[in-house]
Amino acid sequence: MPYQPKIVGFSRPLPPLGEVDWRGGVLLRSTNWLGDALMTLPATWQLKELLPQGVPLWVAAPAGLAPLWQAAPWVDGVLPFSGKRMDAQARRQVRTHDFGLGIVFPNSFGSAWDLWRCGIPRRAGRGGAFRGWMLTEAIPRWKSHEGEGKWHQLSWYLELVSLLGKVRLSSQCPPLSVSPEPARELGVKKEEAWVVMAPGAAYGPAKQWPEECFAQVARELLKKGRSVALVGTPKEAPLTARIAASAPGCLDLGGKTPLPALMSVLSQARAVLANDSGSMHLAAALGTPGVGLFASTDPVATGPLGAPWELQVAPVDCRPCLQRQCPWAGARQYLCMQQLPPEPALEALQQILKG
């Protein structure tokens, strides 16, 4: 069955936000990772719905994530910044907009510090990490790994949004708006029923399925006359090149798809095969179904939101360890990924393609 996220509500009382002088609107401080940002999309949409008519919602995000937020139709503006923290130039831009309320989605000290230094009069977020003093509305802390294996992380973001009113326990939100042209220029056209594979994972090797498994699935699809493309960051280009060499006929786009192009390619695919990664979450948010591979991480807490996805979960007792690299040595190292054979993933992809 396709993955169904479990979204829960929390019964603890939250401090009332009360009357707000919205001034120039609301500024949301985005998370820094692509996958994390994508898991917040339904919460940002409900946030926009709860704002009074005419109050704009802006997002401050690392420059690399700006195209994602620009593709969200309910976001009125994006303030990108270089690096993981807002620099002086970004803070000056924030001040010119005179936002009345800032909302901090990440749990880090630095993200709260960003909005505090911008001088936004009211700042809502979670306490903990020695940052409560920088927030005018601090709700209970989200402790590390709290809720893992029990509910989806979206639940925490919806709780924060509930400061502004009643939220729905739902992962639904409008689709992202993406042009098909970058994909067509790269040779990927929706009418040709492409399968896109994303064999990388920025978090670390503990999330990465063996490259030979990707190659085996690609070879079988190519034998059946399917079109297969490989995507990855510039750092992952050697990985996609090796898979393409092992599965002749693949279109190797490794290192050739900055975020706008990647969004376009994934939106034009008929199906996607990916590790638990930003590409998996992005494809789902774009409405493209696929097959996700989970070993070291937790599909309950961080499964894809949007299109239906089939999840292949490693049957080992040491998962989810949530580690970047496997702590075991010898034959047991990365045993979780070795316990995910190619055949079930291939079968799941074929069922999606038939549908």
Side-chain angles (χ1 to χ4, degrees), residues 204-236:
K207 279 190 175 185
Q208 292 183 240
W209 206 32
E211 59 188 72
E212 175 52 31
C213 292
F214 279 102
Q216 184 174 332
V217 173
R219 288 193 295 267
E220 292 299 320
L221 289 171
L222 290 165
K223 285 180 186 177
K224 297 178 183 299
R226 299 293 186 179
S227 299
V228 179
L230 300 162
V231 294
T233 65
K235 289 183 179 179
E236 294 162 352

Side-chain angles (χ1 to χ4, degrees), residues 90-141:
R91 295 196 300 273
R92 284 194 295 269
Q93 283 187 299
V94 170
R95 292 191 184 97
T96 63
H97 288 276
D98 190 30
F99 295 107
L101 174 67
I103 298 178
V104 187
F105 266 2
N107 291 320
S108 65
F109 178 92
S111 58
W113 193 38
D114 279 345
L115 293 198
W116 180 78
R117 290 197 296 171
C118 288
I120 299 175
R122 298 189 69 175
R123 302 169 300 280
R126 294 192 177 276
F130 305 103
R131 68 184 207 156
W133 62 273
M134 294 180 288
L135 302 170
T136 59
E137 276 78 28
I139 71 171
R141 181 181 181 181

Side-chain angles (χ1 to χ4, degrees), residues 207-282:
K207 279 190 175 185
Q208 292 183 240
W209 206 32
E211 59 188 72
E212 175 52 31
C213 292
F214 279 102
Q216 184 174 332
V217 173
R219 288 193 295 267
E220 292 299 320
L221 289 171
L222 290 165
K223 285 180 186 177
K224 297 178 183 299
R226 299 293 186 179
S227 299
V228 179
L230 300 162
V231 294
T233 65
K235 289 183 179 179
E236 294 162 352
L239 170 62
T240 62
R242 291 193 299 270
I243 296 172
S246 185
C250 288
L251 174 62
D252 183 10
L253 298 178
K256 301 176 183 177
T257 53
L259 187 53
L262 177 62
M263 294 168 68
S264 183
V265 168
L266 293 175
S267 73
Q268 296 304 296
R270 180 71 60 84
V272 174
L273 176 64
N275 300 309
D276 174 20
S277 63
S279 293
M280 177 192 73
H281 291 286
L282 185 56

Side-chain angles (χ1 to χ4, degrees), residues 53-72:
Q53 187 173 6
V55 175
L57 172 64
W58 284 63
V59 175
L65 295 184
L68 167 67
W69 291 110
Q70 289 162 350

Side-chain angles (χ1 to χ4, degrees), residues 10 12 105-108 125-131 139-153 155-157 159 298 301-302 322:
F10 303 106
R12 56 195 179 194
F105 266 2
N107 291 320
S108 65
R126 294 192 177 276
F130 305 103
R131 68 184 207 156
I139 71 171
R141 181 181 181 181
W142 172 6
K143 298 177 183 177
S144 179
H145 308 314
E146 186 178 1
E148 297 287 349
K150 299 177 182 178
W151 56 74
H152 199 281
Q153 286 184 5
S155 306
W156 298 105
Y157 298 112
E159 183 192 32
D298 176 16
T302 60
L322 309 178

